[in-house]
C-alpha cells in the first residue's frame, strides 16, 4: 500500500514538472510582426522594428543593410540590437552617393 502511494506521488510530481514546459513552448509560438524601411533622402538610413518578441535580452532584432556605391560595390552594415517595439537603425555612409540596395533584419533569441 505504501509503495502504491509513493508511485502515485511520483506520477503527480512528474505531471507538475512537465506542465510549465508546455507553457513555455506556447510563449514561443506568439506572432511576431516585423517591418523594415529606409529614409528617402541622403545620407540614407535603414530601420527595422519588431513587436511580439520575447523580452530583451532574450530576443532582439537588428537591421541589416546591403549598401551600394556608384561603382556597384556592395557591403553589409548591421544596426544596433534592440528589444521588442524598439527601432534598430544603421547608415551605410555619410557620402550621399552611397545608397541602400536592400534592407533586411536579423532576429536573435538566446
Amino acid at each position: 500500500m505504501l509503495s502504491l502511494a509513493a508511485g502515485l506521488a511520483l506520477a503527480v510530481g512528474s505531471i507538475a514538472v512537465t506542465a510549465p514546459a508546455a507553457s513555455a513552448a506556447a510563449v514561443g509560438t506568439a506572432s511576431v510582426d516585423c517591418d523594415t524601411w529606409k529614409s528617402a533622402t541622403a545620407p540614407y538610413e535603414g530601420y527595422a522594428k519588431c513587436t511580439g518578441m520575447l523580452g530583451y535580452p532574450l530576443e532582439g532584432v537588428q537591421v541589416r543593410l546591403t549598401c551600394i556605391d556608384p561603382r556597384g560595390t556592395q557591403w553589409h552594415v548591421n544596426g544596433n540590437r534592440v528589444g521588442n517595439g524598439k527601432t534598430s537603425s544603421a547608415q551605410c555612409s555619410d557620402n550621399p552617393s552611397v545608397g541602400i540596395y536592400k534592407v533586411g533584419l536579423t532576429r536573435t533569441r538566446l
Side-chain angles (χ1 to χ4, degrees):
M1 191 71 151
L2 185 57
S3 62
L4 179 60
L8 287 174
L10 182 61
V12 170
S14 66
I15 291 171
V17 170
T18 58
S23 298
V27 171
T29 62
S31 175
V32 176
D33 183 34
C34 297
D35 291 316
T36 59
W37 68 98
K38 63 182 178 178
S39 60
T41 59
Y44 298 101
E45 286 188 89
Y47 307 94
K49 179 179 180 179
C50 292
T51 57
M53 296 187 302
L54 297 175
Y56 187 82
L58 294 177
E59 193 167 13
V61 65
Q62 66 185 122
V63 68
R64 180 172 171 83
L65 304 179
T66 303
C67 306
I68 190 165
D69 69 11
R71 294 170 299 189
T73 304
Q74 296 181 20
W75 67 96
H76 296 282
V77 174
N78 293 315
N80 52 324
R81 185 176 183 266
V82 296
N84 194 47
K86 308 261 187 204
T87 302
S88 173
S89 63
Q91 182 177 339
C92 289
S93 171
D94 288 331
N95 182 343
S97 297
V98 173
I100 297 175
Y101 181 69
K102 181 179 175 184
V103 181
L105 61 87
T106 304
R107 273 182 49 212
T108 53
R109 180 183 270 184
L110 300 179

